[in-house]
Amino acid sequence: MRTVNAYAATSATAPLAPTTITRRDVGPHDVAIDIHFAGICHSDIHTVRAEWGQPNYPVVPGHEIAGVVSAVGSEVTKFAAGDRVGVGCFVDSCRECEFCRAGLEQFCERGMVGTYNAVDRDGQPTYGGYSGAIVVDENYVLRIPDALPLDAAAPLLCAGITTYSPLRHWNAGPGKQVAVIGLGGLGHVAVKLARALGAEVTVLSQSLKKMEDGLRLGAGHYYATSDRDTFKKLRNRFDLMLNTVSAPVDLAALANLLKVDGTLVLLGMPDKPLELPAGALIRGRRSVSGSLIGGIAETQEMLDFCAEHGVLPEIEVITPDYINEAYDRVVASDVRYRFVIDTASLRG
Ligand code: NAP
Ligand code: ZN
Ligand code: ZN
């Protein structure tokens, strides 16, 4: 076992603070990774603030991990020391069920092992990327293409795959009208990916404050959800809508913007249930669905796609002592567009 520096939350209200954790010895199938960068996802905040139920404190969040391999186990074939790698939202799964075999490990019947706030297959708690190093089975490690800088690549491991997977699943591409609701961490990557896939993209944000950014990121249209006219103008417009809002939204108003057979995909997971009148779906054979991150193979495909198409998250790199302020800014929708922690001071 090895002791590693980390930042942890010890309760729903205490600020995250420096601590140490242990990482297991490198087993035959393991990859030891020096973490260089970790993105701050809104899910980290929901988790540590107990908005999704009581987590197991201490929580070391972080599931947008980018780093460099420092050592590999004797049986590892996919990676070698010095490789640039990433780790996303899970670090293991049963590998045997229908969904694991289909590359949909996020829906593993026995439950994927979350990168943090979960129990690993050896019975030990998992700790995430706000730390100096991590040890992960090689089958749950991603390769970061050379064209992607490690700091900007980090958010792709969650925000990237969470938006890429539904865009692909619901066939976003040329001739398709795609709406992205909420221009935060997920939303801004969704705009870039949908555009790179060839779709016509519309941003629906609370206000027009970030309009210039939205258009620069690749949106063709930008509307404020605070303006009720928006919901008249855009009625029956979209084939696909991705809701990335972290707070409750007016589902009926949004669903009315779908074309016949259009789909509204829920990605944001607020702590309160949403209301959905049946008529909003019935009139238009519309669907409301959900999507959870993506499997390992699709995550690699997404990283390669981003390298090929020059899709890079827009980031603000911070030091670990700024994490608590960054959390408050994310909650206030004051993030442009992903905070990424430089973990240099935690390595050693
Ligand atoms: P984020 O950076 O905070 O972005 C969320 C955006 O939602 C904000 O930038 C803001 O955009 C909008 N928003 C926030 N509060 C709002 C409010 N009260 N009313 C209306 N709009 C509001 O968060 P994120 O990291 O992108 O994550 C977004 C959500 O997705 C979170 O709930 C997170 O847990 C969830 N998530 C789900 C998955 C999955 O697999 N399904 C994966 C990762 C994250 P505007 O300012 O443009 O309105
Ligand atoms: Zn996330
Ligand atoms: Zn499984």
Side-chain angles (χ1 to χ4, degrees):
M1 286 217 292
R2 171 180 168 203
T3 302
V4 171
N5 295 314
Y7 258 68
T10 49
S11 81
T13 49
L16 277 78
T19 187
T20 56
I21 53 171
T22 54
R23 297 298 192 188
R24 66 172 182 255
D25 291 333
V26 180
H29 299 282
D30 282 339
V31 174
I33 301 165
D34 282 340
I35 298 175
H36 287 223
F37 297 99
I40 293 180
C41 177
H42 206 121
S43 302
D44 300 347
I45 303 172
H46 290 306
T47 304
V48 306
R49 296 192 174 171
E51 291 167 4
W52 288 342
Q54 198 64 14
N56 282 319
Y57 296 108
V59 175
V60 176
H63 57 209
E64 295 185 334
I65 300 171
V68 175
V69 174
S70 58
V72 298
S74 54
E75 314 263 315
V76 167
T77 57
K78 296 179 185 163
F79 299 98
D83 286 355
R84 305 161 80 249
V85 293
V87 178
C89 296
F90 55 93
V91 290
D92 213 333
S93 65
C94 87
R95 308 170 192 214
E96 287 164 358
C97 74
E98 180 186 345
F99 302 104
C100 282
R101 282 188 283 120
L104 295 168
E105 298 92 343
Q106 73 274 31
F107 303 127
C108 174
E109 278 175 357
R110 282 180 238 164
M112 62 175 173
V113 177
T115 302
Y116 63 83
N117 190 38
V119 178
D120 215 337
R121 301 225 291 185
D122 60 6
Q124 296 303 308
T126 59
Y127 296 117
Y130 298 8
S131 61
I134 191 168
V135 177
V136 180
D137 184 290
E138 67 167 331
N139 292 306
Y140 296 82
V141 176
L142 287 308
R143 185 173 295 282
I144 297 182
D146 288 340
L148 301 177
L150 283 184
D151 53 0
L156 295 174
L157 276 304
C158 176
I161 185 59
T162 300
T163 51
Y164 181 82
S165 186
L167 287 168
R168 291 301 309 268
H169 185 76
W170 278 279
N171 301 312
K176 292 288 173 74
Q177 293 285 342
V178 172
V180 174
I181 308 149
L183 195 67
L186 264 58
H188 93 288
V189 180
V191 170
K192 288 193 169 203
L193 286 171
R195 187 73 203 106
L197 287 163
E200 188 167 333
V201 186
T202 300
V203 172
L204 297 174
S205 179
Q206 294 166 90
S207 72
L208 297 180
K209 268 193 289 194
K210 295 179 275 191
M211 179 152 144
E212 222 171 278
D213 287 349
L215 300 179
R216 177 174 54 79
L217 294 166
H221 319 273
Y222 201 103
Y223 291 90
T225 50
S226 53
D227 178 355
R228 293 317 288 180
D229 271 358
T230 294
F231 292 91
K232 285 185 204 140
K233 282 189 204 140
L234 298 180
R235 226 180 145 74
N236 305 325
R237 168 77 66 100
F238 300 108
D239 298 288
L240 177 63
M241 302 177 75
L242 300 187
N243 176 37
T244 75
V245 175
S246 48
V249 292
D250 184 345
L251 268 192
L254 291 171
N256 279 325
L257 307 187
L258 290 169
K259 273 184 194 159
V260 172
D261 285 332
T263 304
L264 166 58
V265 183
L266 303 182
L267 300 174
M269 213 159 84
D271 53 352
K272 305 220 169 43
L274 302 171
E275 260 190 52
L276 180 57
L281 300 188
I282 289 170
R283 288 187 213 98
R285 200 164 58 187
R286 299 166 171 134
S287 303
V288 174
S289 191
S291 188
L292 177 67
I293 46 176
I296 292 294
E298 194 175 39
T299 304
Q300 189 63 59
E301 177 189 309
M302 175 276 308
L303 289 167
D304 297 342
F305 178 90
C306 289
E308 193 184 327
H309 294 266
V311 173
L312 274 182
E314 310 226 332
I315 58 170
E316 182 172 339
V317 177
I318 62 169
T319 47
D321 55 1
Y322 191 75
I323 291 171
N324 295 295
E325 212 166 320
Y327 273 26
D328 290 339
R329 284 183 53 196
V330 170
V331 170
S333 301
D334 177 25
V335 54
R336 309 237 171 148
Y337 281 85
R338 197 58 138 185
F339 287 109
V340 171
I341 306 161
D342 178 342
T343 53
S345 64
L346 304 177
R347 289 197 301 276

Short mmCIF file of all heavy atoms in Angstrom, two decimals, residues 192-217:
data_model
loop_
_atom_site.label_atom_id
_atom_site.label_comp_id
_atom_site.label_asym_id
_atom_site.label_seq_id
_atom_site.Cartn_x
_atom_site.Cartn_y
_atom_site.Cartn_z
N LYS A 192 -20.05 21.52 -28.68
CA LYS A 192 -18.91 21.25 -29.57
C LYS A 192 -19.06 19.89 -30.26
O LYS A 192 -18.79 19.75 -31.45
CB LYS A 192 -17.60 21.26 -28.78
CG LYS A 192 -17.16 22.64 -28.35
CD LYS A 192 -15.72 22.60 -27.86
CE LYS A 192 -15.19 24.03 -27.67
NZ LYS A 192 -13.72 24.09 -27.74
N LEU A 193 -19.48 18.88 -29.50
CA LEU A 193 -19.59 17.53 -30.07
C LEU A 193 -20.72 17.46 -31.09
O LEU A 193 -20.55 16.88 -32.17
CB LEU A 193 -19.85 16.51 -28.95
CG LEU A 193 -18.65 16.17 -28.07
CD1 LEU A 193 -19.09 15.34 -26.87
CD2 LEU A 193 -17.58 15.41 -28.85
N ALA A 194 -21.86 18.06 -30.77
CA ALA A 194 -23.01 18.00 -31.69
C ALA A 194 -22.64 18.69 -33.00
O ALA A 194 -22.98 18.23 -34.09
CB ALA A 194 -24.24 18.64 -31.05
N ARG A 195 -21.94 19.80 -32.87
CA ARG A 195 -21.50 20.53 -34.08
C ARG A 195 -20.51 19.68 -34.88
O ARG A 195 -20.60 19.57 -36.09
CB ARG A 195 -20.86 21.86 -33.64
CG ARG A 195 -20.52 22.77 -34.77
CD ARG A 195 -21.78 23.40 -35.37
NE ARG A 195 -21.52 23.82 -36.74
CZ ARG A 195 -22.00 23.17 -37.82
NH1 ARG A 195 -22.75 22.10 -37.70
NH2 ARG A 195 -21.72 23.63 -39.02
N ALA A 196 -19.56 19.07 -34.17
CA ALA A 196 -18.56 18.24 -34.86
C ALA A 196 -19.22 17.04 -35.55
O ALA A 196 -18.71 16.55 -36.56
CB ALA A 196 -17.49 17.76 -33.87
N LEU A 197 -20.34 16.59 -35.01
CA LEU A 197 -21.07 15.48 -35.63
C LEU A 197 -21.91 15.96 -36.81
O LEU A 197 -22.50 15.16 -37.52
CB LEU A 197 -21.96 14.79 -34.59
CG LEU A 197 -21.22 13.93 -33.55
CD1 LEU A 197 -22.12 13.63 -32.35
CD2 LEU A 197 -20.72 12.63 -34.17
N GLY A 198 -22.00 17.28 -36.98
CA GLY A 198 -22.69 17.82 -38.16
C GLY A 198 -24.11 18.29 -37.91
O GLY A 198 -24.81 18.67 -38.85
N ALA A 199 -24.56 18.29 -36.66
CA ALA A 199 -25.94 18.72 -36.37
C ALA A 199 -26.03 20.24 -36.31
O ALA A 199 -25.01 20.93 -36.18
CB ALA A 199 -26.39 18.13 -35.03
N GLU A 200 -27.25 20.76 -36.41
CA GLU A 200 -27.49 22.19 -36.20
C GLU A 200 -27.84 22.36 -34.72
O GLU A 200 -28.77 21.72 -34.22
CB GLU A 200 -28.63 22.66 -37.10
CG GLU A 200 -28.81 24.17 -37.07
CD GLU A 200 -29.73 24.66 -38.19
OE1 GLU A 200 -29.83 24.01 -39.25
OE2 GLU A 200 -30.37 25.72 -37.98
N VAL A 201 -27.10 23.22 -34.02
CA VAL A 201 -27.19 23.25 -32.56
C VAL A 201 -27.81 24.54 -32.06
O VAL A 201 -27.46 25.63 -32.50
CB VAL A 201 -25.78 23.09 -31.93
CG1 VAL A 201 -25.88 22.96 -30.42
CG2 VAL A 201 -25.05 21.90 -32.53
N THR A 202 -28.72 24.40 -31.10
CA THR A 202 -29.33 25.55 -30.42
C THR A 202 -29.04 25.43 -28.93
O THR A 202 -29.22 24.35 -28.36
CB THR A 202 -30.86 25.54 -30.62
OG1 THR A 202 -31.13 25.61 -32.03
CG2 THR A 202 -31.53 26.71 -29.91
N VAL A 203 -28.59 26.52 -28.31
CA VAL A 203 -28.41 26.52 -26.86
C VAL A 203 -29.63 27.15 -26.21
O VAL A 203 -30.12 28.19 -26.66
CB VAL A 203 -27.14 27.30 -26.45
CG1 VAL A 203 -27.07 27.46 -24.92
CG2 VAL A 203 -25.89 26.61 -26.96
N LEU A 204 -30.11 26.51 -25.15
CA LEU A 204 -31.15 27.10 -24.31
C LEU A 204 -30.53 27.33 -22.94
O LEU A 204 -30.28 26.38 -22.20
CB LEU A 204 -32.35 26.15 -24.20
CG LEU A 204 -33.08 25.83 -25.51
CD1 LEU A 204 -34.14 24.76 -25.30
CD2 LEU A 204 -33.72 27.09 -26.06
N SER A 205 -30.26 28.60 -22.64
CA SER A 205 -29.60 28.96 -21.39
C SER A 205 -30.57 29.81 -20.57
O SER A 205 -31.58 30.28 -21.08
CB SER A 205 -28.33 29.74 -21.73
OG SER A 205 -27.65 30.13 -20.58
N GLN A 206 -30.26 30.01 -19.29
CA GLN A 206 -31.17 30.81 -18.46
C GLN A 206 -31.27 32.25 -18.98
O GLN A 206 -32.31 32.88 -18.86
CB GLN A 206 -30.66 30.86 -17.02
CG GLN A 206 -30.69 29.53 -16.33
CD GLN A 206 -29.87 29.53 -15.04
OE1 GLN A 206 -30.38 29.83 -13.98
NE2 GLN A 206 -28.60 29.21 -15.14
N SER A 207 -30.18 32.76 -19.51
CA SER A 207 -30.16 34.14 -20.00
C SER A 207 -29.32 34.20 -21.26
O SER A 207 -28.80 33.17 -21.71
CB SER A 207 -29.53 35.06 -18.93
OG SER A 207 -28.13 34.80 -18.90
N LEU A 208 -29.15 35.40 -21.80
CA LEU A 208 -28.32 35.54 -23.01
C LEU A 208 -26.88 35.94 -22.67
O LEU A 208 -26.09 36.26 -23.54
CB LEU A 208 -28.95 36.59 -23.95
CG LEU A 208 -30.35 36.22 -24.49
CD1 LEU A 208 -30.89 37.32 -25.40
CD2 LEU A 208 -30.32 34.89 -25.25
N LYS A 209 -26.54 35.88 -21.36
CA LYS A 209 -25.22 36.33 -20.91
C LYS A 209 -24.06 35.64 -21.63
O LYS A 209 -23.03 36.24 -21.88
CB LYS A 209 -25.08 36.06 -19.40
CG LYS A 209 -25.51 37.22 -18.53
CD LYS A 209 -25.05 37.03 -17.09
CE LYS A 209 -25.82 35.94 -16.40
NZ LYS A 209 -25.72 35.86 -14.97
N LYS A 210 -24.22 34.34 -21.91
CA LYS A 210 -23.10 33.58 -22.49
C LYS A 210 -23.29 33.34 -23.99
O LYS A 210 -22.66 32.45 -24.57
CB LYS A 210 -22.97 32.23 -21.76
CG LYS A 210 -22.57 32.40 -20.30
CD LYS A 210 -22.46 31.06 -19.57
CE LYS A 210 -23.78 30.59 -19.03
NZ LYS A 210 -23.68 29.45 -18.11
N MET A 211 -24.15 34.17 -24.62
CA MET A 211 -24.50 33.93 -26.02
C MET A 211 -23.28 33.95 -26.95
O MET A 211 -23.13 33.07 -27.80
CB MET A 211 -25.50 34.99 -26.47
CG MET A 211 -25.91 34.85 -27.90
SD MET A 211 -27.56 35.50 -28.09
CE MET A 211 -27.47 36.21 -29.66
N GLU A 212 -22.42 34.94 -26.74
CA GLU A 212 -21.24 35.03 -27.62
C GLU A 212 -20.41 33.74 -27.54
O GLU A 212 -19.97 33.21 -28.57
CB GLU A 212 -20.38 36.19 -27.15
CG GLU A 212 -19.81 37.03 -28.26
CD GLU A 212 -19.17 38.27 -27.66
OE1 GLU A 212 -19.90 39.25 -27.36
OE2 GLU A 212 -17.94 38.24 -27.47
N ASP A 213 -20.24 33.24 -26.33
CA ASP A 213 -19.49 31.99 -26.15
C ASP A 213 -20.20 30.85 -26.86
O ASP A 213 -19.57 30.05 -27.54
CB ASP A 213 -19.37 31.63 -24.66
CG ASP A 213 -18.39 32.52 -23.92
OD1 ASP A 213 -17.66 33.28 -24.59
OD2 ASP A 213 -18.37 32.47 -22.68
N GLY A 214 -21.49 30.75 -26.66
CA GLY A 214 -22.26 29.64 -27.24
C GLY A 214 -22.11 29.59 -28.75
O GLY A 214 -21.91 28.52 -29.33
N LEU A 215 -22.17 30.76 -29.37
CA LEU A 215 -22.06 30.81 -30.83
C LEU A 215 -20.63 30.45 -31.26
O LEU A 215 -20.42 29.74 -32.23
CB LEU A 215 -22.47 32.19 -31.35
CG LEU A 215 -23.92 32.60 -31.02
CD1 LEU A 215 -24.23 34.00 -31.55
CD2 LEU A 215 -24.94 31.61 -31.57
N ARG A 216 -19.66 30.93 -30.48
CA ARG A 216 -18.26 30.60 -30.79
C ARG A 216 -17.99 29.09 -30.63
O ARG A 216 -17.24 28.50 -31.40
CB ARG A 216 -17.34 31.39 -29.84
CG ARG A 216 -15.87 31.09 -29.99
CD ARG A 216 -15.02 32.02 -29.12
NE ARG A 216 -15.42 32.04 -27.72
CZ ARG A 216 -15.10 31.11 -26.83
NH1 ARG A 216 -14.38 30.06 -27.19
NH2 ARG A 216 -15.50 31.20 -25.58
N LEU A 217 -18.66 28.47 -29.67
CA LEU A 217 -18.46 27.03 -29.45
C LEU A 217 -19.07 26.18 -30.55
O LEU A 217 -18.77 24.99 -30.67
CB LEU A 217 -19.08 26.62 -28.09
CG LEU A 217 -18.43 27.22 -26.84
CD1 LEU A 217 -19.32 27.02 -25.62
CD2 LEU A 217 -17.06 26.60 -26.60
#
